[in-house]
Amino acid sequence: MSMMAADWLGSVVTINCGLTLGVYQGEVSSVDGASQTISLRQPYHNGVRCPVPEVTFSAMDIKELKFLDIQNTATKPRSGQGITTKPSLVSAGRNGQSNRTTHSHATTNMFHSSTAPISIPLRGSSNSTGVMIPSQKRNCVRNGGAGGSVRSKDDECFGDRTNKDLDTDFDFEGNLALFDKAAIFSQIDGSSGHKALHHSAPAEQKPQSYRHDENILEGKPVKYKQITVPQHGGKYYCTDSGLVVPTIPYKLHKRLLEAAERCGLSPERRLEMIGVCSSQMALSLLGGPNRLSPKNSHQRPTVVLLCGPHTQGAQGISCGRHLANHEVEVILFLPSFFKMEDSVTSEARLYSRTSGLQVANVRELPVSPVDLVINCLNSHENPLLREQSWYQSAADWANRNRAPVLSIDPPISEQPQTVESKWILSLGLPLPLAENESRLYLCDIGIPKLVYSEVGISYYSPFGCKFVIPLHPV
């Protein structure tokens, strides 16, 4: 070993090996000029004490070498000086990898944090307790004074006690299993958890907890059976909010409409209300704003209306007029009859002013499936219409078309549905319809509350903020 290499022994140096290997600090224990290696004893790697007593580096792995302190103060070289015979030890090659660094023992847990200050104890110096050096700065603390406190703080952060668990991975799953989330939340929601959080409040004064969508103002208990009828239809339904809606027989339903007409709710006004609500439901079934928008005019939905010469048919024609006004392609099937109700004639006249089509023969209806079929073929007053040929041909076309069917105000019948409906829309209060797989909806037709009381019905509106609501069997 040359004389200059011997001067390095005992010096404290910082060796930067790049991002892959990181930064090492320690006391020079040996320098081999022939093999171009340098060894450090008691090394620190990225601010953490290495678990091995000595580390050896090859010149090819060293990016930068800095002297923090030299044992022989008479010949103290500057950073990057003192190596004249082998300059490759100071300026290492760029292609060096981790396999070029020889460790005396296998090292683990490589931390790539080079910003923490490092305190390295120096041997052979009586007035220095340690060296505080950030990896990005060259300032050295060599004197006494505050060195003792700095040494104690550094020992707490980077002492040997932190090295014993470096080879053990933290067991996240095992630690998480120790936390019983359900038990903790039940304790918080229960009286025991409340007492633990509020020692001064007695258990009987524990405030009620509310969800984010609940009203925090205290009110009267909700009465879910708020609609009572003098003649029950035999079935009960409930709304999404839990309100019970009973069915009524058709005779009571007819008396209710007659009472509403005497109070000023004429059939024309009732038809308009039904047309608006049923068309709004149909627009939602067709896709709403996702399907009906100015940017999507090339995919306009097609709806076929099957209507008879009666009040239910007039209701369907009113629905079709509103659908046509909302840029829906509507095709109205209304056969030519010798006698039709005045409401059907007036609604058909209004419909003829829209862009909708009207056909009188089933053969003129589309062969390919349409988006929606609205069934208004049946009549409450004349159930014999289902035996006529035009009715049967229209029902057969609807069942063959494979399009979903919405039936508006179908009558009570013990026979199975002629047209298989996916949705049924009842008016005011539901009728006791036959058991089927159809989804029942209820439409608000604008009957005042006092009109219900005139026919003996104690009424509370189940509609809330809507005009069409779903009903679920109880």
Side-chain angles (χ1 to χ4, degrees):
M1 183 180 297
S2 63
M3 185 63 183
M4 184 170 294
D7 293 339
W8 294 0
L9 299 180
S11 301
V12 179
V13 298
T14 297
I15 297 178
N16 186 355
C17 297
L19 296 177
T20 303
L21 298 179
V23 179
Y24 288 82
Q25 289 179 335
E27 180 181 340
V28 178
S29 59
S30 65
V31 178
D32 191 344
S35 60
Q36 289 289 288
T37 61
I38 183 172
S39 300
L40 302 182
R41 69 164 60 97
Q42 299 179 358
Y44 284 76
H45 177 225
N46 291 336
V48 179
R49 180 70 174 271
C50 292
V52 295
E54 189 176 55
V55 181
T56 302
F57 301 90
S58 174
M60 298 297 293
D61 291 328
I62 299 175
K63 307 298 182 184
E64 185 180 11
L65 187 148
K66 296 181 180 180
F67 289 92
L68 303 182
D69 196 5
I70 297 181
Q71 182 70 14
N72 187 1
T73 57
T75 59
K76 185 182 298 183
R78 297 293 182 183
S79 175
Q81 297 178 356
I83 303 178
T84 57
T85 58
K86 298 294 181 179
S88 60
L89 190 59
V90 178
S91 178
R94 295 298 179 183
N95 297 325
Q97 301 297 330
S98 60
N99 58 351
R100 297 176 183 173
T101 301
T102 304
H103 294 257
S104 60
H105 298 283
T107 61
T108 57
N109 296 329
M110 308 291 270
F111 301 96
H112 301 289
S113 175
S114 58
T115 60
I118 309 302
S119 174
I120 301 178
L122 299 179
R123 296 188 302 174
S125 177
S126 59
N127 62 344
S128 298
T129 59
V131 177
M132 283 291 297
I133 192 73
S135 62
Q136 296 180 353
K137 296 182 180 181
R138 298 185 181 181
N139 298 331
C140 299
V141 179
R142 300 176 182 174
N143 298 325
S149 61
V150 173
R151 172 72 177 274
S152 62
K153 293 179 180 179
D154 292 337
D155 287 342
E156 292 178 2
C157 294
F158 309 109
D160 293 337
R161 290 176 296 177
T162 61
N163 297 328
K164 60 182 180 180
D165 296 330
L166 291 179
D167 294 333
T168 303
D169 293 335
F170 183 75
D171 188 3
F172 288 95
E173 294 183 359
N175 185 270
L176 184 60
L178 300 177
F179 177 68
D180 192 348
K181 183 177 180 180
I184 294 298
F185 277 97
S186 63
Q187 183 180 7
I188 293 175
D189 295 335
S191 59
S192 59
H194 180 75
K195 290 180 181 179
L197 296 177
H198 305 279
H199 297 283
S200 60
E204 61 272 13
Q205 295 181 2
K206 185 185 75 170
Q208 183 180 359
S209 59
Y210 297 91
R211 298 197 310 269
H212 67 280
D213 57 346
E214 289 183 325
N215 190 353
I216 64 174
L217 299 178
E218 296 184 0
K220 298 180 180 179
V222 179
K223 184 179 179 182
Y224 292 100
K225 291 186 177 181
Q226 302 188 34
I227 302 177
T228 58
V229 294
Q231 300 175 4
H232 191 264
K235 291 183 180 181
Y236 285 97
Y237 295 91
C238 68
T239 65
D240 290 338
S241 59
L243 296 178
V244 177
V245 179
T247 59
I248 58 175
Y250 176 68
K251 291 184 179 180
L252 182 58
H253 178 76
K254 185 177 181 181
R255 287 172 50 200
L256 178 63
L257 296 181
E258 292 174 351
E261 187 174 351
R262 289 194 301 268
C263 293
L265 188 63
S266 62
E268 291 78 12
R269 297 179 65 178
R270 193 170 67 247
L271 277 175
E272 191 68 15
M273 187 72 175
I274 297 172
V276 171
C277 293
S278 59
S279 62
Q280 183 63 56
M281 179 179 176
L283 291 173
S284 299
L285 297 177
L286 293 171
N290 296 325
R291 186 76 182 275
L292 297 164
S293 66
K295 298 181 180 179
N296 199 23
S297 59
H298 63 288
Q299 293 182 346
R300 294 172 59 187
T302 301
V303 175
V304 172
L305 283 155
L306 305 178
C307 298
H310 38 65
T311 302
Q312 283 67 39
Q315 295 171 170
I317 300 173
S318 176
C319 175
R321 170 167 54 88
H322 290 288
L323 291 176
N325 290 339
H326 286 263
E327 303 301 326
V328 177
E329 294 184 0
V330 182
I331 302 175
L332 170 62
F333 169 74
L334 182 64
S336 299
F337 299 98
F338 294 104
K339 183 179 180 181
M340 291 190 296
E341 294 186 11
D342 294 339
S343 59
V344 178
T345 304
S346 60
E347 288 294 333
R349 187 183 303 110
L350 279 174
Y351 174 82
S352 64
R353 299 296 188 268
T354 67
S355 60
L357 301 179
Q358 180 176 345
V359 298
N361 197 310
V362 174
R363 288 175 293 184
E364 301 179 58
L365 294 176
V367 178
S368 59
V370 296
D371 294 276
L372 180 65
V373 174
I374 298 179
N375 174 30
C376 298
L377 295 173
N378 299 288
S379 171
H380 291 285
E381 304 293 338
N382 189 3
L384 298 179
L385 288 177
R386 57 191 304 161
E387 299 178 2
Q388 298 184 10
S389 59
W390 65 268
Y391 180 100
Q392 295 178 358
S393 60
D396 292 340
W397 176 89
N399 294 327
R400 290 195 311 268
N401 192 260
R402 298 180 181 180
V405 178
L406 167 63
S407 293
I408 300 178
D409 191 21
I412 301 174
S413 177
E414 296 180 356
Q415 300 180 5
Q417 294 183 10
T418 308
V419 179
E420 298 180 1
S421 303
K422 187 174 183 179
W423 304 282
I424 292 178
L425 183 62
S426 294
L427 310 179
L429 287 175
L431 300 175
L433 302 175
E435 294 291 340
N436 50 62
E437 297 181 355
S438 303
R439 302 174 187 175
L440 182 61
Y441 286 77
L442 189 63
C443 172
D444 183 8
I445 57 177
I447 300 178
K449 186 175 182 178
L450 293 179
V451 175
Y452 285 95
S453 62
E454 290 183 11
V455 295
I457 298 176
S458 177
Y459 182 78
Y460 178 85
S461 175
F463 293 97
C465 62
K466 300 179 180 180
F467 285 88
V468 177
I469 58 173
L471 294 180
H472 313 284
V474 177

